[in-house]
Amino acid sequence: MPAATRARWVLAGATSVALVASGCSSGGGGSSSSDSNKTFSYQSSEPQNPLQPANANETGGGRIIQNLFKGLVDYDPSNAKLRMQVAESIDTSDSQTFNVTLKSGWTFHDGTPVQSSSFVDAWNWAATTSNNQINSSWFSDIEGYKDVHPESGQPTATKMSGLTVVDDTHFTIKLSGKVSYFEYKLGYIAFSPLPAGFFNDPAGYGQKPVGNGPYQFVSWDHNQQVVTKTFPNYQGVDKPKNGGVVFKMYNTAEAAYADLQSNNLDVIDQVPPSALATYKSDLGDRAIDSPQGAIQNLGFTLYQSDWAPPEKALVRQGISMAIDRDTITKTVLQGSRAPASAWVADGVEGYKSGQCGDFCTFNPDKAKQLIAQGGGVPNNKLTITYNADGGHKEWVDAVCNSIRQSTGVECVGDPKPDFKTARAAITGHQIDGMFRTGWVQDYPLNANFLADVYRTGAASNDFGYSNPQFDQLSTQADQADSIQGSVTGYQQAEAVLGSGMPAIPLWYYRTNSGYSTNVQNVTFDSFGNPAWTQVEVKG
């Protein structure tokens, strides 16, 4: 999981369990024929927030929401190309005003039609400050956003002037400036439509969501599982070949993997580090090793006085140079990750190797020198907060050992029991120093790894980072005449990050996963998700 399904902070490991999900297939072997009425189970984590489309920027909630809702567009899992879903067409001549035409026949799970107002009302509600949606900044490109979401004080409007309903199947989006790749952003879950009933009871709908996606909500047993079933009137191009998905919550990576091996879990998110050396032999042709547009970082709490002074950037640079990425990825992570040299994941459009420069190269002597020049690490001790349910302890301990041995700075892990708790502590500014930040693409462009994470006030800027030069270069990149121009512009913005080092790039992910003998036709996309609707449950 800004995976950022969506901006998306990713669990990135595994998560253990609860119960064998009701309705889930059980037992292995047998016929290779499939049963389109049977559900399959997927390893998940408890959502941080209610299941509202603009209120999830972590995988626990994001993956569930992306299956319950469907927006104007999404991305083909086979090649990550943009494809139309609810939209028949999205036309623009200037990358600032977009004319949207909707397909006919789409309905929500309650039977009400999906219309232009379903999008416009949802976006206005999500953008408005008083509704406290974590992804509200995703609407900041739209003209009138500052009226509903001012930097301070109360909103002066409840609707953005840039959204206009023409009729039930046509509406227009006017941005405050050009954004050449805006259509790509529309595939993010925050841009999902909402049924009219939602606005009468947002809290209730957050617990029992009504969407328009391939699967409809059945139940949410908190900290245990979320059960969905196939929506028979789904109009998308990716009609389900199964009866639904059961998202099972886990507390340890190892328990999830054990359940997979015993066919009590059908598809795993990532195998735990302890299984990386053996999972391919354990699972045989059911093991998955595929590219993923994701990166593991360590973030800093720049909003704290200890880390705010400009000279502390030298300390952060030094800490980065004290981490032996090559050894950790080869040993602890069994070669399943590649050392990072940039803040954008390898394979993403706009990835440029070496953007981190020497700061991502292991050099203990230079590390000690930079830390000393910056006035030292506060109290000569680092704490790395991470979620214990994600299979991170091994590498966090290895990173701390590398920093300690290279610099003499004390370093310890700060495990939180689960992903939800860790994310709540991070977004609530309740941690001290450093924290794990795994990021998976929400749309396959470098802008997603940069503007949506490091821009001042961005939804997933958990660091408190603010750099006027980075912001200016990002704005210029947005206003380029082409997507390629935006990509190049964001490469220039990325080059600025090393001077402040708000986050340390560690390594790039691959999807190291697998599935039970109960299912077939399981493939993963570059977002780290299975092609949900294409999974077949054996009859």
Side-chain angles (χ1 to χ4, degrees), residues 297-302 307 310-323 325 340-343 355-361 370 433-434 454 463 465 467 494-506:
N297 301 320
L298 289 176
F300 289 89
T301 53
L302 305 186
W307 290 103
E311 64 270 18
K312 290 304 176 185
L314 296 170
V315 177
R316 296 190 289 273
Q317 293 164 352
I319 294 170
S320 180
M321 297 186 78
I323 300 171
R325 295 165 178 78
S341 65
W343 287 268
Q355 290 280 64
C356 185
D358 291 340
F359 299 137
C360 283
T361 301
L370 287 170
M434 299 176 68
Y454 300 106
F463 326 101
Y465 178 68
N467 184 317
E494 183 183 11
V496 172
L497 293 176
S499 63
M501 210 68 169
I504 294 174
L506 292 178

Side-chain angles (χ1 to χ4, degrees), residues 10 36 39 58 61 91 106 166 197 199 206 221 307 336 339 360 366 388-389 394 399 411 417 435-436 444 447 464 536:
V10 65
S36 61
T39 62
E58 35 69 49
D91 299 314
W106 279 78
V166 178
F199 305 101
D221 185 4
W307 290 103
S336 64
C360 283
K366 184 65 173 179
D389 62 348
E394 293 89 346
V399 166
C411 181
F435 54 95
R436 182 193 82 81
E536 298 176 1

Side-chain angles (χ1 to χ4, degrees), residues 99 133 361 363 383 403:
N99 298 304
Q133 296 292 283
T361 301
N363 188 332
T383 301
I403 293 172

